[in-house]
Amino acid sequence: MTERKVVLSLVRATGRLHLGNYLGAARDFAELSRDETKECYFGVADLHALTTLPDPQELAASSRAVARDYLAAGIDPERASLFLQSAVPETSELFWLLTNVTAAGELQRSKTFKEMSAKQADNVNAGLLNYPILMAADILGPEADLVPVGEDQLAHLEMARNIAQRFNHRYGELLKTPEGYRKKAIRIPGLDGKGKMSKSDGNGFGIADSPEDIWKVLQPAYTDPARKRRTDPGNPEICPIGQIHRFVSPPADVETIETGCRTAGIGCVDCKKILLGNVTELLAPVRERAQALDDAAVDDALRQGAARARKRIQPTLAKVRKAMGL
Ligand code: TRP
Ligand code: SF4
């Protein structure tokens, strides 16, 4: 049997998965988990979440909620290992070992570090600075071949490769340098008309939400302000609803709403109702799986996944410790 490619990705444990996470990542991860040529590790980065100081109870709840959403998205926990980062202590040990082959200057120059420090100027903790080293440990521990990440994480991935190279240069060729694997760039706009849909901004809906709950956020959603009255024409390209239609609606519906919007032939409420119908249909299997999942099933999947991830990382950690003289 040829060796299967190891795929690994983690997502920060903040909030629930939304439509953008589903179309850009979770749906593909579900498919990868069923691919016979791949061995998948999908994690919830609860340790990384600590850098932004979440409330302890909220962190615990949202870590599990994200794991549940992943399962609902269709990741098969028998085939793929789904785990909480904090349930794999080997990663934290590897993190410390790797800090010693990481250039402090490179961390300080990181764009994300600068952005995050500016964003939480009252809490510039060393976790923010060392964030990329923990991510490198996540990746290098299981000897990942493929790391699907979004555009915003490519620099971190590059740092993981640099860390592996510096380690190998000093201690011998022990660490595998991963290939990037750019996720589809899917930018679902936020329903507030400000930037993209994001878990922390509360401008979207969860992938397992009921149609009623989705309508609660779609109904008041931002639309092209040019359409003050039903008779005013609008531009679907600058409206988040119009843009989301392009990701989820069949071409005939897209045509209907785009023409309707430009000619004032359709009202925003009807446009949103069509979108609700299509989103509901797209996410129906997710919602069904979510309803069938109880806490015990989520915990079981996480326990199983963490055990497999630990087993995968232990030999790497042993090699690294030995090479470093520990
Ligand atoms: N830093 C990533 C993010 O913010 C999450 C992450 C942590 C990750 N460890 C990883 C992604 C390892 C890929 C591989 O989205
Ligand atoms: Fe947006 Fe649709 Fe209204 Fe046009 S008709 S402004 S696309 S909601």
Side-chain angles (χ1 to χ4, degrees), residues 8 48 85 89-107 129-144 156-178 313 316-324 326:
L8 170 129
H48 273 123
Q85 191 181 31
E90 287 79 2
T91 303
S92 295
E93 183 174 348
L94 184 59
F95 158 78
W96 174 255
L97 301 178
L98 296 177
T99 57
N100 301 289
V101 290
T102 305
E106 195 180 352
L107 297 171
L129 184 68
N130 292 322
Y131 189 106
I133 313 178
L134 181 58
M135 181 159 158
D138 286 329
I139 294 169
L140 302 175
E143 306 198 299
H156 285 157
L157 190 60
E158 197 48 40
M159 283 171 85
R161 293 161 59 88
N162 291 345
I163 290 171
Q165 275 160 9
R166 217 170 294 115
F167 180 93
N168 289 347
H169 182 70
R170 195 179 295 170
Y171 297 105
E173 293 292 320
L174 292 179
L175 295 175
K176 184 174 226 159
T177 35
I313 298 169
T316 315
L317 181 60
K319 277 192 299 198
V320 168
R321 288 181 56 118
K322 185 155 177 268
M324 294 180 97
L326 298 165

Side-chain angles (χ1 to χ4, degrees), residues 221-227 232-243 245 257-258 260-262 266-272:
Y222 177 89
T223 54
D224 180 358
R227 300 205 68 187
D232 296 328
N235 178 359
E237 274 160 44
I238 61 161
C239 170
I241 302 297
Q243 289 172 36
H245 265 294
I257 72 101
E258 292 197 347
C261 181
R262 291 201 170 92
I266 186 175
C268 290
V269 176
D270 287 327
C271 180
K272 287 173 171 177

Side-chain angles (χ1 to χ4, degrees), residues 42 67-68 71 75-78 80-84 293-308:
F42 297 122
R68 174 188 288 263
L71 292 171
I75 286 179
D76 179 350
E78 298 296 327
S81 302
L82 182 69
F83 61 96
L84 299 184
L293 278 168
D294 56 14
D295 289 346
V298 178
D299 286 346
D300 260 5
L302 287 173
R303 206 173 311 119
Q304 223 187 96
R308 283 199 298 253

Side-chain angles (χ1 to χ4, degrees), residues 16-23 186-207 214 217-218 221 240-241 244 275 279:
R16 309 290 307 264
L17 297 188
H18 57 65
L19 187 62
N21 302 125
Y22 181 67
L23 297 177
I186 289 192
R187 191 177 176 285
I188 302 283
L191 296 175
D192 52 2
K194 294 178 195 143
K196 64 175 184 175
M197 204 178 267
S198 106
K199 290 185 282 189
S200 33
D201 295 348
N203 59 3
F205 45 86
I207 60 173
I214 296 177
V217 292
L218 274 187
I241 302 297
I244 299 172
L275 183 64
V279 165

